[in-house]
Amino acid sequence: MRYTTIALTVALAALSVTTPIAQEKIDKDIQWKIRREATDNSQILRTLHFLTDVYGPRLTGSPNLKAAQDWVVKETTAWGLKNAHLEPWSFGHPGWANEKLSVHVTAPVKDSLVTEALAWTPGTNGPVTAQAVQLIVPSQPTKDVLTKFFADNTARVKGKFVMVGAATQVRVTILTPQKRREDNDVRAQYDGSAAAGGFPGGGGPGGPPNPNVVPAAQVAEQLDQWLVTAGAVGRVNDAGREHGQIRAFNNRTFDLTKAVPTVVMRNEDYGRLSRILADGTPVELEMNIVNRTYPEGATAYNVIAEIPGTDKAQEVVMLGGHIDSWHSATGATDNAIGCATMLEAIRILNAIGVKPRRTIRVALWSGEEQGLLGSQAYVKEHFGMVENPKPEHANFAGYFNIDSGTGRARGMSVFGPADAAAILSQATRPFEDNGFFGVSATQSRRRGGTDSTSFNEAGLPGIGISQDPIEYGTHTWHTNLDTFERIIEDDAQQSAMVIAAAVYHLAMRDEKLPRLPKERMPPLPTP
């Protein structure tokens, strides 16, 4: 019995050890050419200039986004890429754009206020002057409590600008987050001592919802509709962030008839008005908002261009990011720089004259900010799900995605077995001098966060790229500060180098990147 136990223990230990993969053949000459082209002839800032200064912001369905996409088709064709085109998908909502916006306090003082319009809300049809009132909506109300709140305040909001919610108390930041990750921390993440990459769990399932409480999404929708029917002339939301940062998203219904003209105001102005009202002093505001809708925006597009393959042309390696942005700024770090980096990677490969075995295809998605809609539509149309695949599913060799700002690439996470991560680690190891330190594997099929997860969900090798944070989460992500000035060109150049090398490696291997076999494919997560 003792010897049987020892033998079983040894066998189990052997199963737990990953079988070493064969040494990858790295084309050092190509990698040297990639570095030289990326350094000597970079087009990143030129591409970024057009996507941001000329065509930004690029809200899904807007004329600006369509103009940016048309420019990419023209530019990539001039570079010599093939089959550059726009591929349509159904957004289902009209496009929207803010053309003019001014908000002033006219009493008891006179001053201009800093705001951004909420997308898919109506304009004011000219300047409107009215008193402001502030409402604190009940937290987690029952249906009866919410109904009473609306009834008690209907007369109060008629003909008024309504400031919804208390002013957020934004504390002074004493210790600012680091903008670059320490090399040793990044190495530890990818050397096998840290957990594999992927999206973290949410701490376990929550308890069942209270059936007597109106869900927050329904409260928000009912509040918007009530403001319309009660005759409010406008709504003001507190941005609730430091140093004048504003994040303005959208009316969740996309229906302009279900919202009043709405702005998001910087916390510093919102707090000032709130304090004046708390003194019992009336506040008068003037708003002039010009918003426009575009019915043609209901059809949205992804941008596609490629370098055709040779003996394995039916197989495809993809790279990309989302080209749409929010409307409060020109969308530089989210995600024009990601698009510029991926366009630069494929431009570099084409410029140095590679003849890839597999087709290399760049894709710039729209609708990402509304829920990864463009990449989902593409995956559904071309690949299907692993449970019900289309023919192209079997020919897919990997999709590289970048979407975390201007910081240089520090590592990657690939959906698939450990062997897939090991192959990419070997292909990218020569770029440790750029601060790139490895690749981890994830088996999460949960969609969310960015477009690589649309591929993961389908059981395909999506490859998400991790980056130095710089100012992304603290200052620029979805804010009115997301402009050309926040970009670090050298970081983007270094990212383009390592991505171009990794893409080329997958395009040239004898075999596609390994995938999880069917018996090990995790099921789709429950919603």
Side-chain angles (χ1 to χ4, degrees):
M1 184 66 181
R2 175 172 171 268
Y3 295 110
T4 303
T5 302
I6 293 172
L8 180 59
T9 301
V10 171
L12 290 174
L15 288 174
S16 68
V17 176
T18 302
T19 303
I21 64 167
Q23 188 68 27
E24 293 292 298
K25 298 177 182 178
I26 308 301
D27 193 327
K28 295 181 179 179
D29 181 60
I30 287 292
Q31 291 196 348
W32 178 81
K33 290 179 179 179
I34 286 171
R35 287 177 182 267
R36 187 177 64 177
E37 177 65 24
T39 303
D40 294 349
N41 300 308
S42 175
Q43 297 295 306
I44 287 176
L45 287 190
R46 180 178 184 276
T47 299
L48 183 75
H49 162 65
F50 279 95
L51 294 183
T52 57
D53 299 332
V54 178
Y55 298 117
R58 304 170 306 281
L59 192 67
T60 296
S62 70
N64 275 18
L65 176 59
K66 180 61 163 53
Q69 293 170 323
D70 288 338
W71 180 84
V72 171
V73 169
K74 180 179 178 181
E75 190 72 2
T76 54
T77 300
W79 289 346
L81 301 186
K82 307 301 180 184
N83 195 29
H85 67 282
L86 302 185
E87 188 165 316
W89 59 275
S90 177
F91 181 41
H93 307 292
W96 179 95
N98 170 250
E99 295 184 353
K100 293 182 181 179
L101 172 63
S102 66
V103 180
H104 292 79
V105 55
T106 54
V109 296
K110 296 184 185 300
D111 203 353
S112 59
L113 305 174
V114 180
T115 64
E116 296 289 344
L118 197 73
W120 286 282
T121 56
T124 57
N125 295 318
V128 174
T129 301
Q131 285 195 335
V133 297
Q134 188 169 13
L135 292 182
I136 310 300
V137 181
S139 176
Q140 297 184 321
T142 63
K143 182 178 179 181
D144 290 343
V145 167
L146 191 61
T147 299
K148 184 176 186 304
F149 171 80
F150 290 153
D152 290 347
N153 288 284
T154 295
R156 188 178 174 214
V157 304
K158 183 176 176 62
K160 305 292 197 326
F161 288 115
V162 182
M163 297 169 58
V164 177
T168 303
Q169 299 300 309
V170 180
R171 302 301 179 188
V172 174
T173 301
I174 303 300
L175 298 176
T176 58
Q178 66 181 52
K179 297 186 178 184
R180 291 204 185 276
R181 296 185 61 192
E182 294 291 339
D183 285 355
N184 287 338
D185 291 342
V186 182
R187 283 193 184 95
Q189 180 179 344
Y190 295 104
D191 69 2
S193 61
F199 282 85
N210 186 338
N212 297 316
V213 172
V214 182
Q218 291 185 26
V219 172
E221 190 170 329
Q222 290 181 39
L223 176 63
D224 278 336
Q225 189 62 62
W226 170 68
L227 291 174
V228 173
T229 57
V233 296
R235 173 175 174 169
V236 182
N237 298 334
D238 178 14
R241 296 183 63 80
E242 66 178 359
H243 303 313
Q245 294 179 31
I246 298 175
R247 285 178 177 164
F249 298 116
N250 64 281
N251 161 23
R252 67 183 64 229
T253 69
F254 296 89
D255 185 343
L256 275 66
T257 67
K258 295 182 178 180
V260 296
T262 302
V263 298
V264 182
M265 183 176 290
R266 70 174 178 176
N267 178 253
E268 294 85 349
D269 287 338
Y270 193 94
R272 178 189 187 187
L273 300 183
S274 181
R275 291 187 293 273
I276 293 173
L277 286 170
D279 290 338
T281 304
V283 170
E284 184 181 77
L285 300 178
E286 179 190 87
M287 285 192 193
N288 186 16
I289 307 173
V290 179
N291 296 331
R292 192 177 302 278
T293 56
Y294 298 88
E296 63 272 22
T299 298
Y301 301 90
N302 297 318
V303 191
I304 307 296
E306 59 191 26
I307 301 174
T310 53
D311 63 306
K312 294 180 178 289
Q314 75 282 5
E315 297 178 4
V316 61
V317 179
M318 295 184 67
L319 68 161
H322 72 91
I323 190 172
D324 65 303
S325 75
W326 286 110
H327 56 289
S328 297
T330 57
T333 68
D334 189 21
N335 182 39
I337 190 59
C339 293
T341 298
M342 293 314 209
L343 289 171
E344 180 71 356
I346 196 170
R347 185 201 67 80
I348 288 168
L349 293 174
N350 192 69
I352 65 176
V354 300
K355 302 296 181 184
R357 302 179 69 187
R358 295 179 179 87
T359 295
I360 298 173
R361 181 178 300 157
V362 66
L364 306 183
W365 317 110
S366 58
E368 191 272 352
E369 299 293 6
Q370 289 72 44
L372 316 185
L373 301 182
S375 59
Q376 284 183 63
Y378 187 88
V379 169
K380 180 179 179 181
E381 175 67 22
H382 288 269
F383 305 116
M385 303 293 285
V386 67
E387 291 82 4
N388 187 25
K390 293 190 173 184
E392 290 181 69
H393 196 283
N395 289 327
F396 187 75
Y399 166 71
F400 294 83
N401 188 82
I402 193 164
D403 182 23
S404 296
T406 190
R408 59 181 171 168
R410 305 304 303 274
M412 297 177 184
S413 175
V414 57
F415 178 80
D419 284 358
I423 288 167
L424 284 168
S425 291
Q426 290 189 45
T428 55
R429 188 166 296 129
F431 292 88
E432 286 191 351
D433 62 315
N434 283 12
F436 189 93
F437 290 120
V439 183
S440 62
T442 177
Q443 282 79 50
S444 172
R445 291 180 67 186
R446 185 171 298 280
R447 172 174 27 97
T450 193
D451 292 296
S452 55
T453 65
S454 293
F455 292 81
N456 298 3
E457 180 185 45
L460 294 166
I463 304 162
I465 296 166
S466 65
Q467 300 168 252
D468 272 334
I470 310 299
E471 300 169 330
Y472 189 63
T474 56
H475 291 79
T476 66
W477 179 59
H478 295 167
T479 78
N480 55 325
L481 307 184
D482 189 8
T483 64
F484 185 100
E485 287 74 17
R486 303 279 66 81
I487 297 304
I488 303 172
E489 180 185 17
D490 185 62
D491 278 29
Q493 286 182 1
Q494 292 184 45
S495 296
M497 291 179 198
V498 67
I499 292 165
V503 167
Y504 178 76
H505 186 76
L506 293 195
M508 298 301 292
R509 298 183 78 246
D510 290 337
E511 303 296 333
K512 297 190 301 294
L513 200 64
R515 299 189 195 178
L516 292 171
K518 288 186 177 180
E519 63 272 14
R520 289 178 52 201
M521 181 65 65
L524 284 170
T526 55

